[in-house]
Amino acid sequence: MAGFFGKVSVMLKGKTDRAVDKMMSPEDQIRLFVEETNKQISTLQKAVAAAMADEKRLKMQLDDLIAKADSWEKKAMLALENDDEFLAKEALLKKEEFTDSAREVLKDWETQRDATVKLKQSLGKAKKQVEDSKRKYNLLAAQYKAAEAKKSVADRMGSTDASSPLAAMEALNEKVLAMEADAEAAVELMGDPASDALEAKFAAMERDKKGDDALAALKAKMSR
C-alpha cells in the first residue's frame, strides 16, 4: 500500500509542479489526479488478477495430484483383491510419490492463496483511499474557487479607478452637491424672494428626484 501511494505521490508531484508552472485550473488538477490514480489502480488490478490465476493453477495441480494418489490407492486395493501383494506395493509406492508432490504443492498453494487475499485487501483499501482523496480534492477545489471569487469581488469593490461603482457613486454625489449649491446661489440672485423661493423649491425637488433616480439606477446596476 505504501509503495502504491508512494508511486502516485511521486508521479503527481512532478506533474503538479508542471501544472503550477502552467497555472492549471482546479478542474485540470482533479483530472490529472484521477488519471494517475486510475493508472496505478489498473496496475494493481492486473497484479491481483495474475495472483488469482497462479492460485487457481496451483489448486488445479494440487487437485490433480490428489486424484492421482487416490487412483493409485484404488489400484493397490484392486491388486490385493487379486492376491497380488507385489503389484499392490508398487501401486502404494506410486501413491506415496503423488502424495509427497501434493504436500509440496499444497504449501505453495496456501502461500499463494494468502498472498492473493492480502493483495485483494490492498486493492480494496487502495480504491477506498483513492475515492476518499477524490472527494477531498473536489472539496478543496470548490473551496479554492469560492475563495477566488470572493477575492475577485473584494478587489473590484476596493478598486479606486474611475470605472469602479464606488468611484462612480462618489462622483455622482459630488454632482448632486454641486447642483444643490448652484440652486441655492440662483435663489439668492433672483429679484422676487417669494416667487424665487417657490421656484427654487420645485427646482430643488426636481434635482433631488433626478439625483435619487440616478442613485437608484446605479444601485440596481451594482446588485446584478
Side-chain angles (χ1 to χ4, degrees), residues 10-33 35-36 137 144:
V10 171
M11 295 180 70
L12 286 178
K13 184 179 185 303
K15 297 195 175 184
T16 301
D17 290 341
R18 294 195 293 274
V20 171
D21 294 338
K22 296 180 180 179
M23 298 303 291
M24 291 180 68
S25 67
E27 292 82 1
D28 289 335
Q29 292 182 35
I30 292 173
R31 177 184 53 77
L32 176 64
F33 173 80
E35 287 178 356
E36 293 302 325
Y137 205 110
Y144 169 81

Side-chain angles (χ1 to χ4, degrees), residues 146-160 164-166:
E148 190 177 46
K150 290 180 181 178
K151 183 177 183 301
S152 177
V153 171
D155 290 344
R156 291 178 60 187
M157 293 299 293
S159 176
T160 57
S164 70
L166 292 179

Side-chain angles (χ1 to χ4, degrees), residues 67-182:
K68 288 179 178 178
D70 290 342
S71 175
W72 279 107
E73 184 179 50
K74 289 177 180 178
K75 290 177 180 179
M77 293 172 65
L78 180 60
L80 284 177
E81 288 174 357
N82 287 275
D83 297 324
D84 193 337
E85 293 186 357
F86 176 80
L87 188 59
K89 186 183 296 185
E90 291 295 319
L92 288 174
L93 289 173
K94 293 293 293 185
K95 175 203 170 185
E96 193 62 28
E97 290 179 9
F98 283 109
T99 300
D100 289 342
S101 297
R103 290 194 187 99
E104 295 299 320
V105 174
L106 176 62
K107 294 178 183 178
D108 294 339
W109 173 71
E110 289 177 340
T111 300
Q112 184 63 36
R113 180 193 58 190
D114 293 342
T116 301
V117 169
K118 291 179 180 178
L119 203 53
K120 286 180 179 178
Q121 292 174 345
S122 296
L123 178 60
K125 290 180 181 179
K127 287 182 176 180
K128 184 179 183 303
Q129 289 189 0
V130 166
E131 290 303 316
D132 290 343
S133 297
K134 288 178 184 178
R135 284 193 293 271
K136 291 177 182 178
Y137 205 110
N138 278 292
L139 177 60
L140 288 174
Q143 292 174 338
Y144 169 81
K145 291 184 69 176
E148 190 177 46
K150 290 180 181 178
K151 183 177 183 301
S152 177
V153 171
D155 290 344
R156 291 178 60 187
M157 293 299 293
S159 176
T160 57
D161 60 37
S163 62
S164 70
L166 292 179
M169 183 176 289
E170 183 64 25
L172 180 59
N173 184 54
E174 291 177 0
K175 288 181 180 180
V176 171
L177 291 175
M179 290 170 64
E180 291 177 350
D182 290 342

